[in-house]
Amino acid sequence: MRQDQVEPDQRRSARVCAGAGEAASGPVLFDAVLLDRDGTLIEDVPYNGDPEKVRPVPGARAALDRLRAAGLRLAVVTNQSGLARGLFTEERMRAVHARVEQLLGRFDAWLVCPHDDGDGCGCRKPAPGLVHAAARELGTVPARCVLVGDIGRDMTAALAAGAAGILVPTPVTRPQEVAAAPQVAPDLPAAVAEILRRRAAVDPATWRRADPATDRSATDRPDALRQVGGRRAGTVLVVRADSAGDVLVTGPGIRAVAADAERVVLLCGPRGRAAAELLPGVDEIIEHRLPWIDPAPDPVDPTDMTALTARLAAVGADEAVVFTSFHQSPLPLALLLRLAGVRRVSAISDDYPGSLLDVRHRVPAGVPEPERALSLAAAAGFTLAAPDGPALRLRPASAPPPEVGAPGYVVLHPGSAAQARGCPPELAVRIVRALAAAGHRVVVTGDPGERELTAWVAGDVAVDLGGRTSLAGLAATVAGAGAVVVGNTGPAHLAAAHGVPVVSLFAPTVPFGQWGPWRVPTVRLGDPEAPCRDTRAARCPVPGHPCLSGVEPGQVLDALRLLGVTPPVRPGPPAVGCGTGVPAGASIGGSSR
């Protein structure tokens, strides 16, 4: 059944500025690279205090010089428990570091944790203290850093600080750590190449410089690439016809288009309409179900398609940017856009588009969805305005429901439109009771169809908001939270947009690095090697939901402590774990160095 609505009087939000604490420097994803020492920069010699034993990993010097040449600042972040154990002195450690710099060049900062696991410090990885300290030392914030390391502790520290992480496995890296990592590279030079590729992909200048004969995303049309910084575009139609979470993660790409357009019209489906209304930069919304996108599609109706084509023609768009998920094709809509008279169409397409696309962009697998959208916008010639930055953002939130009380509560969102990605109900009940017993105020949220679920999960120990808020009200509730405990579903992206830390109960049906919370402090829980891995299943294909059913409530409490989220009233010593240790049984860890 066709749904076709437009709101021409919808006001565009004022240009959003960089979030609190984030440097405002346009579309730059990373301005600093943090590197683990042993196993990443140099061969791992346990508790090494001898400069003569320093051996750089292959290609390290050339790779680091590429980062320096690109203007990236470099810091080393390293656990050195040998100091606490008395196995070498600080003087000997400094001699080792001097030898590292002699072989690999100067680093802008060295951040060292001298403690052992039992010391309860906040700097020993997997705690995020070293990442925060390195960002301060380098004059940036964790969200603009990427940490390269060889074990799960490195990745956990990066994610818990809100930084990106790239794992370079070695023989001591456990398979579970590889499966859990947001991104994996075979060696340090490959990790550096990927950092530079991701950084360049969101810069329109990259695509202007591309060689039209070999390395470009555009077709051969002479007008395929716009002149960035020249005239403003007129009306641009942007498209993301998918669920609320998909629309939310496309926000940075839409804002990039809005920064260089007079008017932005967003075509979305009914499942994404509420999210579209939260996005800055959108002037009008067209709501229409697309049968080649919708997960439960009606048959293709020629009358409906004719009406949609007429509606698209009425927009009078000068060009269109079609955002899709990695497994979707933009070509059916591109054909309708051509029939509607849109002269310039940009999209990501692995399939040959013929004359349907002017800018045919390609993106490697596994790139975070917001970066994927930003790179398409860049290939089409659009870039974020200088005061803006690469992050998820929403229109200003309204006040949350009064019953949630003062900010600082923990939100648990147990459900999901895709059952495979939600929290098993029995586990959600146990988590809520453990959080409440630890002194946290808990708010349980859910859609109108989840009222029975949220009532059971909340019981008599939490506030039940199931079905009682719109998506905008849910966003306001999330904005006041100290943390959100949620599966791979829309509220995780609402939390990222508000900078609220996330305990991610992530089912591995899709890649974590692509769909996990973006640029926000996060701890991932769950089994990354579960049989459902990479199935893209909407319903759990394995009896018992094993990817998440093995999570224990104590792991959630440990994850919150790792994120620095503590209850307002402490009832006593925690029963499980410690404030800076590894969440028990989580998919992190590695050697104890």
Side-chain angles (χ1 to χ4, degrees), residues 374-563:
L374 274 172
S375 75
L376 172 58
F382 298 99
T383 186
L384 289 168
D388 201 349
L392 301 185
R393 306 202 194 285
L394 304 176
R395 296 174 184 267
S398 58
E403 55 264 46
V404 303
Y409 44 83
V410 175
V411 167
L412 174 69
H413 190 90
S416 172
Q419 176 267 347
R421 300 200 295 266
C423 178
E426 297 83 359
L427 174 60
V429 170
R430 294 170 58 214
I431 290 174
V432 165
R433 278 140 189 78
L435 290 172
H440 288 283
R441 293 182 293 119
V442 185
V443 176
V444 180
T445 58
D447 295 336
E450 297 169 337
R451 284 175 174 156
E452 184 177 347
L453 169 65
T454 61
W456 178 42
V457 171
D460 59 358
V461 298
V463 175
D464 176 17
L465 289 185
R468 297 171 57 192
T469 67
S470 63
L471 188 65
L474 176 59
T477 302
V478 166
V484 174
V485 183
V486 63
N488 176 24
T489 190
H493 307 305
L494 294 177
H498 287 298
V500 175
V502 178
V503 178
S504 178
L505 305 174
F506 196 90
T509 53
V510 293
F512 177 77
Q514 186 167 351
W515 291 101
W518 192 57
R519 298 169 74 91
V520 66
T522 301
V523 172
R524 176 186 182 174
L525 298 179
D527 180 4
E529 298 180 294
C532 64
R533 180 178 173 87
D534 295 332
T535 62
R536 297 210 307 263
R539 295 198 63 81
C540 184
V542 184
H545 212 334
C547 66
L548 295 178
S549 59
V551 173
E552 290 295 330
Q555 295 175 249
V556 176
L557 293 173
D558 285 343
L560 290 171
R561 284 190 286 268
L562 197 69
L563 293 167

Side-chain angles (χ1 to χ4, degrees), residues 138-495:
L138 298 177
T140 186
V141 292
R144 298 175 70 90
C145 299
V146 55
L147 192 158
V148 182
D150 67 315
I151 59 174
R153 286 176 174 240
D154 299 316
M155 298 301 98
T156 300
L159 293 174
I166 299 180
L167 183 75
V168 177
T170 69
V172 305
T173 312
R174 300 183 305 189
Q176 188 184 46
E177 296 173 324
V178 177
Q183 191 167 14
V184 179
D187 52 36
L188 180 59
V192 166
E194 178 62 6
I195 291 168
L196 296 176
R197 189 206 63 75
R198 286 173 62 180
R199 196 170 181 251
V202 300
D203 182 1
T206 300
W207 309 110
R208 290 201 306 273
R209 291 192 299 264
D211 181 350
T214 57
D215 180 26
R216 78 176 195 178
S217 59
T219 65
D220 290 333
R221 289 176 177 268
D223 61 343
L225 291 175
R226 299 169 61 251
Q227 286 296 320
V228 179
R231 67 169 184 82
R232 285 173 61 82
T235 295
V236 181
L237 177 71
V238 295
V239 182
R240 189 64 194 257
D242 224 320
S243 67
D246 300 294
V247 172
L248 291 173
V249 297
T250 308
I254 293 173
R255 294 201 317 274
V257 173
D260 199 28
E262 297 292 341
R263 175 171 166 252
V264 172
V265 179
L266 171 59
L267 170 63
C268 67
R271 295 181 301 133
R273 173 61 186 259
E277 293 173 345
L278 299 179
L279 295 184
V282 176
D283 297 298
E284 300 175 14
I285 296 174
I286 299 175
E287 179 185 316
H288 197 108
R289 192 187 305 273
L290 300 183
W292 54 91
I293 297 293
D294 201 83
D298 293 328
V300 175
D301 181 350
T303 302
D304 182 50
M305 292 298 99
T306 300
L308 174 59
T309 304
R311 183 64 197 90
L312 296 174
V315 171
D318 298 285
E319 58 184 291
V321 181
V322 182
F323 296 101
T324 52
S325 187
F326 71 104
H327 61 281
Q328 298 167 345
S329 173
L331 299 184
L333 184 61
L335 176 59
L336 298 188
L337 291 168
R338 290 298 191 207
L339 296 176
V342 179
R343 292 175 297 160
R344 186 172 186 270
V345 182
S346 304
I348 297 171
S349 181
D350 289 328
D351 297 325
Y352 173 63
S355 59
L356 295 180
L357 299 181
D358 299 290
V359 176
R360 176 197 183 189
H361 188 49
R362 297 180 184 180
V363 180
V367 173
E369 282 290 305
E371 289 183 32
R372 196 171 184 273
L374 274 172
S375 75
L376 172 58
F382 298 99
T383 186
L384 289 168
D388 201 349
L392 301 185
R393 306 202 194 285
L394 304 176
R395 296 174 184 267
S398 58
E403 55 264 46
V404 303
Y409 44 83
V410 175
V411 167
L412 174 69
H413 190 90
S416 172
Q419 176 267 347
R421 300 200 295 266
C423 178
E426 297 83 359
L427 174 60
V429 170
R430 294 170 58 214
I431 290 174
V432 165
R433 278 140 189 78
L435 290 172
H440 288 283
R441 293 182 293 119
V442 185
V443 176
V444 180
T445 58
D447 295 336
E450 297 169 337
R451 284 175 174 156
E452 184 177 347
L453 169 65
T454 61
W456 178 42
V457 171
D460 59 358
V461 298
V463 175
D464 176 17
L465 289 185
R468 297 171 57 192
T469 67
S470 63
L471 188 65
L474 176 59
T477 302
V478 166
V484 174
V485 183
V486 63
N488 176 24
T489 190
H493 307 305
L494 294 177

